[in-house]
């Protein structure tokens, strides 16, 4: 039983209607202020609750937390304490914020220092990411890409329904929401009969994804069964796997994505715990053919999370270009982690495992411009009268996501990045 998830809970903190961060969410992040270089915090409404302050002033006594565990640049050390400890901290924070609890509320001095308006903090990348893997687990996305570049009749490659296809991405260029992305240059081949040219990408794209974060190390040779995968997964962030389609298309054979992907990926700053998303579990699509035994699983392993992407041109209002749902994913996170480790590959605390582009069944639910514009054939209309097939300099792309039930909205906060002129 996770008490912090009770939909009846109310906080003495004012949480605006439609906020991503009601008392039932309580995601973890790293923030800095004018006075603090980096500290762990929890989001509540429009405020960040400073965990360093709570810890140092006895509000977390009894949880047996190591000294300085929240006074760090990344959440890795905290997450490495394990899911039970993370759960205990979330439950205790929930207790402190409940409207029937006076411990923090009645101490005006303490609550004033511990609760910092979000407008006064800068969110930092929440985890040090040792490894980043990107999957390709949306059947609709894989089908769309296969239809465009190969054969609509055989859009999925023969392996696709037998294993969660993935590749190893670049961890060093993962940035937090709000970090600008410079348009990359690279080799492209505009004319199939002529040699390639070196220039800024003409086909800069976003990929709407959700990433899970791991909280335990394994050793080489160790495997993780689907049934135990969630012991290793602490939570999710939103994720934009920016892509330069023209660079990608020329370079990808035979080893897959490289410079078309590794110039930058953006993660949202709040790690929403798997615990907070418990009420939003759903069954995934039926898997046919049957998967091999090591990929078999039981229970609801998909999550009903509404996702959308907005594009805002430099001097115009934003427009929603995609609405979809994380529940459509064919392969679930348990299967992804089981597959990733079935050969003995070791994982580390803070690893990022992105879902692959999340596309739904209808054209308005496609999670990339490649699909929305059908590789440039169909233009999207912006609010200023301009059109897009791919991203323009000055565009800001924002991914938003939330789960909602019983008027409780468990949101992620923005995953946003602005495109700057070429490097
Ligand atoms: Mn991707």
């Amino acid at each position: 039983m996770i008490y912090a998830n009770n939909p009846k809970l109310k906080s003495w903190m004012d949480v605006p209607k439609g906020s991503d961060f009601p008392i039932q969410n309580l995601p973890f992040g790293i923030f800095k202020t004018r006075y603090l270089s980096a500290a762990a915090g929890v989001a509540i409404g429009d405020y960040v609750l400073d965990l360093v302050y709570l810890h140092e002033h006895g509000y977390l006594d009894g949880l047996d937390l190591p000294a300085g565990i929240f006074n760090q640049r990344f959440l890795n050390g905290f997450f490495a304490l394990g899911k039970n400890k993370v759960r205990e901290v979330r439950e205790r924070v929930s207790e402190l914020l409940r409207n029937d609890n006076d411990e923090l509320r009645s101490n005006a001095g303490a609550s004033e220092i511990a609760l910092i308006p979000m407008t006064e903090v800068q969110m930092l990348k929440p985890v040090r990411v040792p490894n980043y893997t990107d999957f390709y687990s949306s059947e609709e996305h894989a089908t769309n890409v296969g239809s465009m570049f190969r054969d609509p009749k055989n859009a999925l490659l023969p392996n696709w329904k037998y294993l969660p296809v993935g590749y190893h991405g670049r961890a060093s260029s993962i940035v937090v929401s709000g970090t600008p992305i410079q348009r990359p240059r690279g080799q492209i081949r505009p004319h199939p009969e002529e040699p390639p040219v070196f220039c800024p990408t003409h086909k800069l794209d976003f990929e709407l994804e959700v990433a899970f974060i791991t909280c335990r190390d394994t050793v080489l040779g160790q495997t993780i069964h689907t049934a135990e995968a969630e012991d290793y997964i602490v939570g999710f962030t939103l994720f934009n796997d920016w892509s330069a389609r023209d660079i990608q298309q020329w370079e990808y054979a035979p080893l897959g994505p490289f410079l078309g992907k590794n110039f930058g990926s953006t993660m949202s700053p709040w790690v929403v715990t798997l615990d907070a998303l418990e009420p939003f579990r759903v069954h995934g699509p039926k898997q046919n053919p049957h998967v091999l035994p090591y990929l078999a699983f039981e229970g609801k392993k998909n999550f009903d999370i509404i996702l959308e992407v907005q594009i805002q041109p430099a001097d115009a209002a934003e427009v929603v270009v995609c609405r979809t749902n994380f529940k459509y994913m064919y392969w679930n996170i348990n299967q992804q982690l089981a597959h990733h480790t079935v050969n003995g590959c070791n994982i580390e605390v803070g690893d990022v495992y992105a879902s692959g582009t999340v596309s739904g069944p209808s054209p308005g639910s496609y999670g990339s411009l490649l699909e929305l514009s059908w590789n440039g054939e169909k233009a999207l209309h912006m609010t200023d009268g301009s059109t897009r097939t791919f991203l323009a300099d000055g565009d800001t792309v924002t991914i938003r996501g939330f789960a909602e039930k019983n008027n409780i909205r468990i949101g992620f906060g923005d995953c946003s990045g602005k495109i700057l002129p070429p490097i």
Side-chain angles (χ1 to χ4, degrees), residues 28 48-49 85 123 135 145 162 167 196 198 234 246 255 291 325 399 401:
F28 296 95
V48 177
L49 180 58
K85 194 55 72 181
M123 296 308 298
F135 287 96
V145 174
Y162 286 95
Y167 68 93
F198 178 76
V234 65
D246 39 12
L255 289 185
V291 296
N325 196 304
I399 301 176

Side-chain angles (χ1 to χ4, degrees), residues 136-149:
Y136 191 59
S137 289
S138 156
E139 181 173 2
E140 289 81 4
H141 174 68
T143 302
N144 287 336
V145 174
S147 302
M148 246 178 273
F149 293 113

Side-chain angles (χ1 to χ4, degrees), residues 281-313:
R281 286 179 178 275
V282 291
H283 288 291
K286 192 170 162 43
Q287 296 183 329
N288 184 22
H290 284 303
V291 296
L292 291 170
Y294 80 91
L295 290 170
F297 67 97
E298 281 174 21
K300 295 176 177 172
K301 300 301 180 195
N302 279 42
F303 294 88
D304 183 356
I305 300 171
I306 294 163
L307 300 166
E308 71 171 37
V309 182
Q310 300 182 336
I311 298 177
Q312 180 171 27

Side-chain angles (χ1 to χ4, degrees), residues 132 134-135 141 167 207 209 241 243 261 354 356-357:
Y132 156 45
D134 194 24
F135 287 96
H141 174 68
Y167 68 93
E207 287 192 341
E209 308 199 15
D241 178 28
S243 301
K261 297 277 192 179
T357 305

Side-chain angles (χ1 to χ4, degrees), residues 149-163:
F149 293 113
R150 287 187 304 273
D151 173 11
K153 290 198 188 69
N154 296 293
L156 292 181
L157 287 168
N159 61 2
W160 200 89
K161 290 205 164 179
Y162 286 95
L163 55 87

